[in-house]
Amino acid sequence: WADAGFLIPHEALRFSMNKMLASAEALKDDYEKKESWKVLYFAEWYVEDFASMVHDHHFNEESIYFPWIATKAELPDKVLSKQHEDLVKMLEEIKSICISVKKKKGIKCADEIQKLKEKIPLFIDDMNEHLKEEEEGIPELLRANFTHEEEQVVVGKIIKAEGLGGTRRFLPTLLVVMDKWAKPSFKEIFLASIPPPIQKLLYDYYIPDYNDYVCPKRDAPTLSEKPKIVKVKCCKLPFCCNCVV
């Protein structure tokens, strides 16, 4: 359980970063209007989904998870060798580039594309190093000082802090990647732990939108034809949870 607690979010981040790197490498040096959607959609995905997902992850670790561990154990120095602040700074630098791409609608963005090709691999290398350090340094502390039940209480606080917006961004990717590293029985237990109202949002909104909106934008530079970007239409109820987020 101690290892799984880190693999669940970390593998989702690694999967997203691998997809991001593939798209960055596929970007041409520049685009005219006809193919500008390739870099524009990618920039929109980064701003709307990826940057927020990483921000949420770092915030939850710093404000909830690590302080809880520190009540009984001392965090290894190497876990903090690449400070969250440094990673967030790099994340924001890439985000600002993507915002510039959005303002130009993806047209004649040669400078921005060059910077994306330079900065994204560096960010991914540092992020992967950081994730590995956490996975090597913390699970043993958890096993030695806490129970699985205690950890689940803290995980519940993190899920509550993320809210529906964070759940929408993280959960579909998390489930896709879980097929690659976890046993089917583990995924079944995980799915069963999701409250029924969230399950309905997951299957009616989050997964369809992930397949038809998030992934086509993320993978746009690798596509040969412009994808049809669609989201599930609102249920029209005044208390529609999906519309709230």
Side-chain angles (χ1 to χ4, degrees), residues 15-28:
F15 178 82
S16 295
M17 290 191 296
N18 287 339
K19 290 291 187 179
M20 177 170 66
L21 181 61
S23 287
E25 291 176 342
L27 285 170
K28 296 180 180 178

Side-chain angles (χ1 to χ4, degrees), residues 47 136 183 188 198 207 222 224 245:
V47 174
E136 291 176 345
K183 295 181 179 179
E188 289 177 7
I198 303 301
I207 290 178
T222 69
S224 57
V245 296

